[in-house]
Amino acid sequence: WGGCVAGLVGAAVGPAVLLVAGLFTPDIYPLQTLHWWMGDVLGVVLVAPLLLVWHQFPADRLDYKRLPEIVLLFGLAFLAGNILFMGWLADSFGLCAQHFWMFLFVAWAGVRFGAHGVLLLLALIASQALFGAYRHTGLFADDLLRTQLVNFWLYIVTLSVDGVILASYIRAETLSKQAIGKQEAFFHLISDNIDDFITVLDLQGRRIYSCPAYNKCGVSIYLR
């Protein structure tokens, strides 16, 4: 939201300066302002997160066991992008080539590879889609002339927002589980090395944990 709102400032000032300089006429000022704002928002939604996330390599960068899955994901996404946006294999896939194909790959990247994978994949998709629009091929073949790339912009922004939100949510869940695991490990470390009686019951009154001292004693103490 900050990027969308803050982009209005630059979108209003930048074209105004160009208008005063006489680089275009007043009648196209609203359209120039819209395009300027769209570029700012796309930069905030896609380019800025890409730079901020990839200034550090992912923590599991040395896990070569995931390399085949990474190659498979980006290979299939590259092939699907060329079919959708570059017109590859149009005779075979032309009727079923739809925009939502890429959402499947973005979801895959978000679940398995987090923000690093999502943003890298989004950069690949945006590049393919933009190049296809420039060459007038694929799903956005007429978008440059008919809508001034508005459809392209909506598509990439939607993909980016969905992918980043999914990756962020999964990361938050992972960090939460890790924090709970650390708390449980600390609890066991303390309870296993003291002489006090500690037992944990679930909501049905069933014992789910007892410390060594409690187990040696062999008694149950209930406090009301």
Side-chain angles (χ1 to χ4, degrees):
W1 284 111
C4 293
V5 175
L8 293 173
V9 178
V13 174
V17 173
L18 298 178
L19 176 63
V20 172
L23 297 180
F24 55 79
T25 57
D27 58 306
I28 64 172
Y29 174 77
L31 184 60
Q32 293 293 330
T33 301
L34 175 62
H35 289 166
W36 196 297
W37 177 79
M38 289 169 54
D40 287 348
V41 172
L42 189 60
V44 170
V45 171
L46 177 59
V47 180
L50 180 66
L51 297 176
L52 291 173
V53 168
W54 273 98
H55 83 282
Q56 290 183 340
F57 285 97
D60 56 351
R61 60 186 181 276
L62 298 179
D63 188 1
Y64 295 104
K65 295 180 180 179
R66 308 181 70 185
L67 185 59
E69 184 180 359
I70 295 174
V71 173
L72 180 63
L73 168 61
F74 281 88
L76 290 177
F78 179 78
L79 177 61
N82 282 332
I83 293 174
L84 291 174
F85 309 123
M86 304 298 295
W88 283 18
L89 305 175
D91 295 337
S92 301
F93 295 97
L95 296 178
C96 60
Q98 300 296 329
H99 297 74
F100 57 77
W101 282 16
M102 306 314 294
F103 283 90
L104 302 177
F105 296 106
V106 171
W108 182 359
V111 172
R112 296 291 296 159
F113 303 107
H116 286 83
V118 164
L119 291 167
L120 197 61
L121 182 63
L122 287 171
L124 173 64
I125 296 172
S127 300
Q128 289 177 298
L130 186 60
F131 191 55
Y134 173 76
R135 295 186 57 190
H136 304 288
T137 58
L139 294 178
F140 299 111
D142 300 328
D143 197 41
L144 184 61
L145 298 176
R146 297 180 60 183
T147 69
Q148 301 292 309
L149 294 179
V150 171
N151 288 327
F152 162 81
W153 180 84
L154 289 171
Y155 180 70
I156 297 301
V157 168
T158 303
L159 269 182
S160 300
V161 171
D162 290 347
V164 171
I165 288 177
L166 176 62
S168 300
Y169 174 79
I170 292 176
R171 175 172 172 77
E173 287 292 307
T174 301
L175 293 177
S176 177
K177 291 179 181 179
Q178 291 176 351
I180 294 174
K182 291 180 180 179
Q183 293 175 355
E184 291 180 348
F186 181 74
F187 170 77
H188 284 288
L189 177 64
I190 298 299
S191 63
D192 290 349
N193 291 278
I194 62 176
D195 295 330
D196 295 333
F197 295 160
I198 298 178
T199 186
V200 179
L201 307 178
D202 62 14
L203 296 178
Q204 286 72 40
R206 295 173 298 204
R207 187 170 60 189
I208 58 177
Y209 171 78
S210 299
C211 70
Y214 182 97
N215 294 329
K216 290 180 181 179
C217 178
V219 299
S220 297
I221 301 174
Y222 294 92
L223 299 179
R224 294 185 180 272

